[in-house]
Amino acid sequence: MLRPMSTLASYNPVLGSLIQELVGPLILIDNAREVAFRSRAFDRIVGCDLHASCHCDALLLPARTEAAEACCWDALDLYLDKGGSALWPVLSVGGNVIPMLCHIYPLDMAGNRLYIALQFEPLNGAISAAAFAFFSAQRHAMDEMAYAIWLTKYIARHFQTKHVAWLSDDALWEDRVEFRDHFRELIRERIQKCGRPMPFDLILKASDRPCLYHVFPLSNDNSPQEALIFTASAGPLDASCINEIYQAVMLRKFAIGADKETAVGADLLIFTAREQQILALVSKGLTDKTIAKKLNLSVHTIKNRMRLMMRKAQVNKRAALMSFLRPSE
């Protein structure tokens, strides 16, 4: 029988240590739903103790279903049919939830499926300046509803999905009101668990067949839940595409580059954690050189980050970026 990689590490410590260091953020789950291996790159993201054994549901928030969480083993065939990509947030030791894109690889032996390898990519909402300029230009050219309609058409065309809808669009749900209400409840529960808007998956039955939906919530406040939902198409996803949708959805609510009132809250996804860290230090009056030294980065990197943030926010002065600084910073 194939040994778990954690066992291989103890059998050959040098090989095990090399594997743990070289692979990216990855975990290996056996058919008992236990985590047989976690790479150090994964542990650095979630802050886990490498030697602590755990069940997969201690780390993952996989797809929501009508009844409960759909464990990775339960939904494996459905995901493989859709390219083997999942939007599964990951739980950290501190209780934080981290948005992730997960790539699924089954490991079989002698006709038996023994392990599932899950390789993760963090989703931080960072996109290229060109992509951000494209979506923000569309948003500035349209009102909120026109932009919402345009975005559904854009995603349907580029991702070749069968169904794309906003949760609040009554016209799209006339013959499926109960279906939408069920969506609302599942989305509300997941957002409460995540604590902030982030992409995740839902699995619901449509005509007695399970259907996989990617969900991009717009907000986590007390207003009526709003989210962009689309059916998964065959073919793997990549982090850059998800980050682009992530940002494009948020632009519906926040017209970036407008006055401060319009921009409040846009920092949820517009700037990465590192960019927020830099903003916090800038707000304290530190120079680029001092910030670079504190963060162990080059001055050139700090200056580039500041230029990118100004392009993202469509402002011309550093001082204008302070309205995007999270209050907790």
Side-chain angles (χ1 to χ4, degrees):
M1 180 178 174
L2 183 67
R3 290 190 181 93
M5 292 182 79
S6 55
T7 305
L8 284 175
S10 60
Y11 180 76
N12 188 330
V14 175
L15 176 61
S17 180
L18 184 64
I19 291 172
Q20 289 170 344
E21 283 296 342
L22 291 181
V23 298
L26 178 142
I27 61 177
L28 197 66
I29 301 173
D30 63 23
N31 51 18
R33 318 294 174 98
E34 292 184 351
V35 180
F37 169 82
R38 301 201 310 267
S39 70
R40 288 202 174 97
F42 179 86
D43 279 6
R44 280 193 288 269
I45 290 174
V46 302
C48 291
D49 176 5
L50 180 65
H51 302 292
S53 60
C54 60
H55 206 264
C56 58
D57 61 9
L59 294 174
L60 306 177
L61 289 177
R64 290 283 298 158
T65 67
E66 290 92 338
E69 306 285 357
C71 178
C72 42
W73 282 87
D74 301 328
L76 181 58
D77 290 337
L78 177 59
Y79 273 104
L80 292 178
D81 184 53
K82 298 299 182 181
S85 298
L87 296 177
W88 289 349
V90 169
L91 293 164
S92 71
V93 167
N96 296 320
V97 181
I98 305 167
M100 289 280 187
L101 172 63
C102 173
H103 302 286
I104 305 170
Y105 306 98
L107 303 177
D108 303 339
M109 178 171 283
N112 295 319
R113 186 158 288 164
L114 300 179
Y115 300 97
I116 304 175
L118 304 178
Q119 184 178 20
F120 294 91
E121 291 183 80
L123 297 170
N124 56 16
I127 63 175
S128 69
F132 185 83
F134 170 71
F135 286 115
S136 59
Q138 301 299 324
R139 176 64 181 93
H140 282 298
M142 307 174 192
D143 63 26
E144 182 180 338
M145 289 308 302
Y147 176 78
I149 294 169
W150 172 84
L151 187 56
T152 58
K153 292 179 179 178
Y154 174 85
I155 290 175
R157 184 171 65 251
H158 285 269
F159 291 89
Q160 298 181 346
T161 61
K162 292 182 179 179
H163 185 69
V164 186
W166 287 94
L167 198 57
S168 64
D169 192 344
D170 294 331
L172 293 173
W173 302 92
E174 284 180 350
D175 56 344
R176 305 200 298 175
V177 174
E178 292 183 4
F179 195 60
R180 180 175 69 168
D181 290 343
H182 195 41
F183 254 118
R184 274 208 174 108
E185 183 60 25
L186 292 176
I187 289 171
R188 184 186 64 79
E189 291 177 6
R190 176 44 50 89
I191 289 177
Q192 284 181 345
K193 186 170 282 190
C194 290
R196 65 187 177 97
M198 64 179 66
F200 56 83
D201 287 343
L202 292 179
I203 298 175
L204 293 178
K205 285 186 177 179
S207 303
D208 296 324
R209 295 181 60 188
C211 194
L212 175 62
Y213 294 86
H214 300 313
V215 181
F216 290 77
L218 180 60
S219 66
N220 63 340
D221 54 25
N222 294 323
S223 60
Q225 290 296 341
E226 179 64 294
L228 181 72
I229 304 165
F230 61 92
T231 49
S233 55
L237 299 172
D238 63 68
S240 61
C241 286
I242 297 301
N243 282 332
E244 285 185 8
I245 300 172
Y246 200 39
Q247 287 281 14
V249 167
M250 290 302 292
L251 281 171
R252 173 178 173 177
K253 188 171 184 179
F254 304 111
I256 308 305
D259 57 28
K260 183 175 179 178
E261 266 186 35
T262 314
V264 168
D267 61 293
L268 283 171
L269 294 177
I270 289 300
F271 295 135
T272 66
R274 174 64 89 183
E275 288 169 341
Q276 282 287 334
Q277 191 178 20
I278 292 171
L279 273 185
L281 295 174
V282 170
S283 70
K284 295 176 181 178
L286 301 184
T287 65
D288 288 349
K289 186 175 180 180
T290 305
I291 294 172
K293 189 174 181 180
K294 267 185 170 291
L295 301 181
N296 198 26
L297 299 171
S298 70
V299 176
H300 179 71
T301 297
I302 299 299
K303 291 183 181 296
N304 278 344
R305 289 273 190 158
M306 293 301 298
R307 281 195 289 267
L308 176 60
M309 283 189 278
M310 287 192 288
R311 282 203 300 270
K312 279 183 178 182
Q314 296 187 7
V315 297
N316 298 319
K317 296 181 179 179
R318 288 188 173 203
L321 291 174
M322 294 306 104
S323 64
F324 293 88
L325 182 64
R326 294 175 185 167
S328 60
E329 300 288 338

